[in-house]
Amino acid sequence: MKIIKHLRKCFSTILLTSTLLTSACGPLEKNINKEKSADKAGENTQSLAFASTYAPLPSETTLITNARILDGLGGEILSGSILLKNGRIVKISEEAIGSEATLTIDAAGKWVTPGIIDIHSHLGNYPSPSVNAHSDGNEITNPITSEVYAEHGVWPQDPGFDEALAGGVTTLHILPGSANLFGGRGVTLRNIPARTVQDMKFPDAPYTLKMACGENPKRVYGKKGGPGSRMGNVAGYRKNWIKATEYKKKRDEGDDFTRDLQLETLADVLDGKILVQMHCYRADEMVQILDIAKEFDYKVTTFHHAIEAYKIGDILAKTDTCAAMWADWWGFKMEAYDTIRENIPFVHAQGACAMIHSDDPNGVQRLNQEVAKAWSDGNKAGLKISKAEAFQWLTSNPAKALGIFDDTGSLTAGKRADIVLWSADPFSTYARPEKVFLDGALVIDKDTGLKPMSDFKLGQVPENEGL
């Protein structure tokens, strides 16, 4: 009997893979044709490499009614409806919505939000099981490794993706580690079961550049030829931005130009094509980094970890720089010493772009609880932040910081139908996602037991594991 059940499961997996393959052919052909057209127009052909082959799973027209809705933009509807069709949000309203939906869900007593976006994850690069053979998140061979791409180390079979999805995370930003001054390119992924990382890549999402300041680079490279101090860190950034400026000039002029993957990434930052995501803890260092960005005319999109961001919220607001933070994780090294539990809400209250992040394979499964802690601490300190406002820290703000806000991050007509139906108030410890939609396709359903299982786990765990 066990063998029959296992064969049935394998057959289902083959059918799902077949569906993914079939549905991927159209978008892939479309992407290639699009790139060929760009080539004819004289555009750079490097975008052909590792192009997204993501294709949404089949979905049906779905109407969710009687839901308490947080729209991800600071708005709230106490009882409303959402209509999903062809993978997109068609309408959201306090009034009843007439439709020919093939699936209607009565969400009375439950909450609906956008899918969660984790802006700082290493899933796939440091997958489970956590063994040395799976450690592919940091190229610790040189302080300058801007030529590497995080996606080239992502293992799509990481069981952590399934658990994050069960926690309501529909989009993840995978970054290289933080040992290097320039750590390499980050990639934004759709949290969907897939055979390849290309099948997970968020279409048209810009690349990012992971950089790091402070203790990590000088600790890792202090005995390997440097940098060995914060002074050396800053000198290292500036030397390489000078090289990138010269490279960009040669590339743009077409004279004496030889392609260099390391400098290519930095030149694309200077062109505004790649978004800088900077690991940085201390307020004084963040301001130093902003001065370097001013010197070389590029933008720092987000400071990650940023435990002292509360000290410079006004500066972050003025420079339109986001801060991705933990709720209450600090004190594990000297530069992580001086924070407060109100860090996120205080940055928000100063008008800056604040958000939560996980940087952890367990924390990513309960980011709603992390936001709830930060929200509660801020309000205890006298801030009057609504739950609807605070939910931006999970959805629209990370979408803005990743350059995908036009496509996801809020419950807005025309955007991707990335939606979580919660069993209760998502700010409650007891709330869990009951249903999760990715591009309108139901991928998590507690009622039926629907939940993806990576090929790595298939046949190793019971069928109903984790449900």
Side-chain angles (χ1 to χ4, degrees):
M1 193 66 182
K2 288 183 179 178
I3 294 174
I4 292 173
K5 283 185 177 180
H6 181 68
L7 287 173
R8 283 175 180 167
K9 188 186 290 184
C10 288
F11 184 62
S12 298
T13 304
I14 291 167
L15 286 176
L16 175 60
T17 304
S18 176
T19 301
L20 285 167
L21 274 171
T22 304
S23 57
C25 291
L28 174 58
E29 184 178 356
K30 184 178 180 181
N31 282 343
I32 291 175
N33 288 338
K34 179 181 177 183
E35 295 296 344
K36 285 181 178 177
S37 297
D39 291 347
K40 290 178 182 178
E43 296 291 331
N44 197 321
T45 59
Q46 72 183 71
S47 57
L48 279 169
F50 323 115
S52 170
T53 53
Y54 171 77
L57 291 171
S59 62
E60 57 185 318
T61 302
T62 303
L63 179 63
I64 302 173
T65 63
N66 303 314
R68 186 162 182 177
I69 299 170
L70 303 181
D71 67 8
L73 296 170
E76 181 176 6
I77 298 175
L78 296 181
S79 181
S81 300
I82 305 177
L83 178 63
L84 320 177
K85 186 175 182 180
N86 297 326
R88 297 278 169 171
I89 299 169
V90 175
K91 190 175 183 181
I92 176 172
S93 176
E94 293 184 82
E95 309 296 330
I97 299 175
S99 76
E100 298 178 358
T102 55
L103 174 62
T104 300
I105 300 170
D106 185 354
K110 299 173 183 177
W111 295 55
V112 169
T113 69
I116 293 171
I117 300 172
D118 186 6
I119 193 172
H120 191 121
S121 176
H122 299 292
L123 290 181
N125 277 159
Y126 290 109
S128 300
S130 180
V131 294
N132 286 338
H134 278 171
S135 181
D136 289 306
N138 231 144
E139 181 61 26
I140 311 179
T141 54
N142 192 291
I144 316 300
T145 59
S146 50
E147 71 273 19
V148 304
Y149 291 45
E151 67 198 78
H152 297 154
V154 169
W155 183 42
Q157 298 305 322
D158 182 358
F161 287 121
D162 301 342
E163 303 310 318
L165 186 62
V169 178
T170 53
T171 301
L172 306 105
H173 178 227
I174 311 301
L175 286 162
S178 53
N180 317 82
L181 297 179
F182 297 89
R185 297 195 191 202
V187 64
T188 301
L189 303 181
R190 308 289 288 152
N191 195 6
I192 187 173
R195 299 175 306 154
T196 69
V197 72
Q198 290 95 325
D199 283 348
M200 299 176 75
K201 285 181 72 171
F202 199 118
D204 300 320
Y207 276 117
T208 63
L209 170 63
K210 173 70 177 292
M211 295 178 62
C213 68
E215 291 182 24
N216 283 20
K218 75 190 189 85
R219 171 178 53 81
V220 173
Y221 293 102
K223 295 181 180 180
K224 296 181 181 180
S229 67
R230 283 180 165 83
M231 296 183 295
N233 287 352
V234 172
Y237 306 134
R238 298 178 77 199
K239 286 179 182 177
N240 283 276
W241 286 124
I242 289 170
K243 291 178 184 177
T245 302
E246 294 170 350
Y247 176 87
K248 179 180 178 304
K249 185 172 184 283
K250 287 183 179 180
R251 182 202 64 188
D252 293 347
E253 293 175 351
D255 297 330
D256 190 27
F257 172 71
T258 301
R259 190 176 177 192
D260 182 310
L261 291 178
Q262 196 173 88
L263 294 174
E264 182 172 275
T265 294
L266 302 188
D268 281 352
V269 170
L270 298 178
D271 278 338
K273 296 176 182 176
I274 293 179
L275 310 179
V276 172
Q277 310 287 337
M278 187 97 192
H279 162 117
C280 212
Y281 285 78
R282 288 182 0 193
D284 60 307
E285 287 193 90
M286 287 185 254
V287 176
Q288 297 272 23
I289 296 300
L290 290 174
D291 269 356
I292 296 170
K294 191 184 300 181
E295 179 183 9
F296 293 98
D297 194 25
Y298 69 90
K299 179 176 175 55
V300 178
T301 305
T302 311
F303 285 117
H304 289 244
H305 311 330
I307 69 155
E308 293 185 16
Y310 67 96
K311 299 180 181 181
I312 56 167
D314 58 328
I315 297 174
L316 297 177
K318 185 177 179 180
T319 56
D320 189 29
T321 305
C322 295
M325 299 158 276
W326 295 294
D328 54 5
W329 192 2
W330 74 83
F332 44 89
K333 55 181 175 177
M334 283 308 303
E335 65 183 1
Y337 179 75
D338 193 16
T339 196
I340 56 176
R341 293 178 64 94
E342 302 84 2
N343 192 21
I344 295 173
F346 275 19
V347 170
H348 173 86
Q350 292 177 76
C353 169
M355 69 196 75
I356 199 84
H357 68 354
S358 77
D359 191 26
D360 183 77
N362 297 312
V364 70
Q365 300 173 33
R366 52 177 182 273
L367 282 173
N368 62 305
Q369 295 179 22
E370 297 301 300
V371 158
K373 289 189 289 186
W375 167 80
S376 176
D377 289 329
N379 283 358
K380 284 177 184 176
L383 301 177
K384 295 181 179 180
I385 300 173
S386 69
K387 291 177 180 178
E389 274 186 90
F391 216 81
Q392 296 174 95
W393 306 340
L394 283 165
T395 58
S396 57
N397 283 356
K400 291 172 184 175
L402 293 174
I404 55 174
F405 177 69
D406 289 344
D407 221 19
T408 191
S410 67
L411 301 181
T412 305
K415 288 193 176 185
R416 293 178 181 272
D418 299 339
I419 291 174
V420 181
L421 173 64
W422 299 86
S423 60
D425 179 352
F427 286 73
S428 165
T429 303
Y430 301 101
R432 294 298 297 161
E434 283 194 352
K435 300 182 191 296
V436 178
F437 295 85
L438 194 67
D439 280 318
L442 188 60
V443 288
I444 296 285
D445 189 352
K446 292 290 184 181
D447 293 335
T448 65
L450 174 66
K451 178 186 175 182
M453 182 181 290
S454 77
D455 281 357
F456 179 78
K457 290 175 70 176
L458 190 63
Q460 300 190 56
V461 296
E463 277 189 63
N464 62 350
E465 183 269 350
L467 298 177

